[in-house]
Amino acid sequence: MAITVQHIRHATSIIVINNKRILIDPMLSEVGQLSPVPFTRNYRRNPLTSLPVSLNIFENVDAILLTHRHFDHWDKKSISLLNKNIPILCGPNDKSSVLKAGFTKIIAIEDTYEWAGINIKRIEGPHAPGLTGMILGIVSGFYLKTKTEGSIYIVGDCIYTPKIEKAFIDLSPDIALLNASEAEMIWGTVITMNREDIARIACLSPKTKLVAVHLDTINHCKLSRKQLSAYLKDKNLCDSVVIPQDGEIVSF
């Protein structure tokens, strides 16, 4: 297996699979250029951390994979800077808005699609339970697989549900990126996976190497790398989960 993940920051990563560089959920703004997430417990402007890489690395990507269009996954700076002719892999509900932003090669995946020798399956899920989930909308997760390199599941901001559980059981991905920051709205609803979800997935799919991201960058994300690391150590899960630093490259 020769999949690599360069975690940039928050949900933004560059994965290399089948010799293709795929940029996930670009948020390229510098510290404080974005507003706080509405209806959250503090008013710190976002992002909280600097971009750890030069912007020129985003000139050399083969595709963009977009799980959803919230500003911490698809910001105005990314829209203005990125090449409008780069293929964008997304869900059908995001197609029209991405087209309006000026991008010309939109691949809206309803269920499955093959691109550049990579089999892609979209697995949608709610961003939150109940009414909050209806307000925040649907998120697309994507499972990517090649014949020789294995598979990676970008879960996105989907919370843990029976459908996501079934995806891990049925697909048994080699790698999974989990947005597990315990992001919380002011009324208490958690809108991403949490530390207990990481533990559940580690037990459910022990062959999967989990990569915990979405940490330490946006004002409503409660769980820090330090807290998650301590939790994993307490649960004897350090060998199952990687917590990359911003800019770090992890090879599998």
Side-chain angles (χ1 to χ4, degrees), residues 184-206:
E184 185 180 59
M185 307 307 292
I186 197 169
W187 48 86
T189 301
V190 175
I191 64 171
T192 65
M193 288 194 187
N194 56 37
R195 67 195 86 184
E196 290 82 9
D197 294 327
I198 294 177
R200 282 199 286 181
I201 292 170
C203 293
L204 178 74
S205 187

Side-chain angles (χ1 to χ4, degrees), residues 129-188:
L131 179 59
T132 305
M134 294 175 63
I135 295 169
L136 295 179
I138 290 295
V139 178
S140 294
F142 294 92
Y143 170 81
L144 283 62
K145 183 178 182 179
T146 69
K147 292 181 180 178
T148 59
E149 294 179 345
S151 58
I152 182 169
Y153 180 13
I154 297 97
V155 181
D157 275 4
C158 299
I159 60 170
Y160 193 100
T161 65
K163 183 176 182 179
I164 301 302
E165 181 178 278
K166 187 175 187 299
F168 275 97
I169 294 171
D170 292 347
L171 300 172
S172 190
D174 296 302
I175 308 159
L177 268 61
L178 300 178
N179 296 355
S181 58
E182 300 181 2
E184 185 180 59
M185 307 307 292
I186 197 169
W187 48 86

Side-chain angles (χ1 to χ4, degrees), residues 1-5 149 152 174-175 209-211 242 250-252:
M1 184 167 57
I3 297 173
T4 65
V5 177
E149 294 179 345
I152 182 169
D174 296 302
I175 308 159
K209 193 70 172 183
L210 304 179
V211 184
V242 177
V250 184
S251 298
F252 299 92

Side-chain angles (χ1 to χ4, degrees), residues 31-225:
V31 172
Q33 291 183 338
L34 301 173
S35 300
V37 176
F39 307 111
T40 52
R41 295 179 186 276
N42 66 73
Y43 297 97
R44 299 177 69 187
R45 291 184 63 83
N46 293 304
L48 307 177
T49 56
S50 297
L51 200 65
V53 295
S54 171
L55 287 171
N56 61 18
I57 78 164
F58 303 108
E59 297 172 4
N60 183 31
V61 296
D62 298 295
I64 298 167
L65 187 149
L66 183 63
T67 65
H68 65 305
R69 292 179 292 102
H70 289 169
F71 74 82
D72 57 327
H73 294 250
W74 178 245
D75 63 347
K76 290 181 179 179
K77 188 166 185 178
S78 299
I79 292 170
S80 66
L81 285 178
L82 293 171
N83 184 338
K84 298 299 187 292
N85 295 316
I86 296 175
I88 296 190
L89 308 163
C90 64
N93 51 316
D94 293 318
K95 180 178 180 179
S96 61
S97 293
V98 176
L99 280 170
K100 288 177 183 177
F103 291 85
T104 61
K105 297 179 181 178
I106 317 301
I107 301 171
I109 301 172
E110 181 68 46
D111 182 22
T112 60
Y113 189 83
E114 183 170 336
W115 176 81
I118 304 167
N119 293 310
I120 304 172
K121 180 175 178 60
R122 187 174 75 93
I123 305 159
E124 72 175 27
H127 201 320
L131 179 59
T132 305
M134 294 175 63
I135 295 169
L136 295 179
I138 290 295
V139 178
S140 294
F142 294 92
Y143 170 81
L144 283 62
K145 183 178 182 179
T146 69
K147 292 181 180 178
T148 59
E149 294 179 345
S151 58
I152 182 169
Y153 180 13
I154 297 97
V155 181
D157 275 4
C158 299
I159 60 170
Y160 193 100
T161 65
K163 183 176 182 179
I164 301 302
E165 181 178 278
K166 187 175 187 299
F168 275 97
I169 294 171
D170 292 347
L171 300 172
S172 190
D174 296 302
I175 308 159
L177 268 61
L178 300 178
N179 296 355
S181 58
E182 300 181 2
E184 185 180 59
M185 307 307 292
I186 197 169
W187 48 86
T189 301
V190 175
I191 64 171
T192 65
M193 288 194 187
N194 56 37
R195 67 195 86 184
E196 290 82 9
D197 294 327
I198 294 177
R200 282 199 286 181
I201 292 170
C203 293
L204 178 74
S205 187
K207 67 157 282 189
T208 305
K209 193 70 172 183
L210 304 179
V211 184
V213 298
H214 208 270
L215 302 164
D216 295 331
T217 308
I218 297 294
N219 74 292
H220 67 328
C221 294
K222 297 189 305 176
L223 184 62
S224 69
R225 285 183 175 93

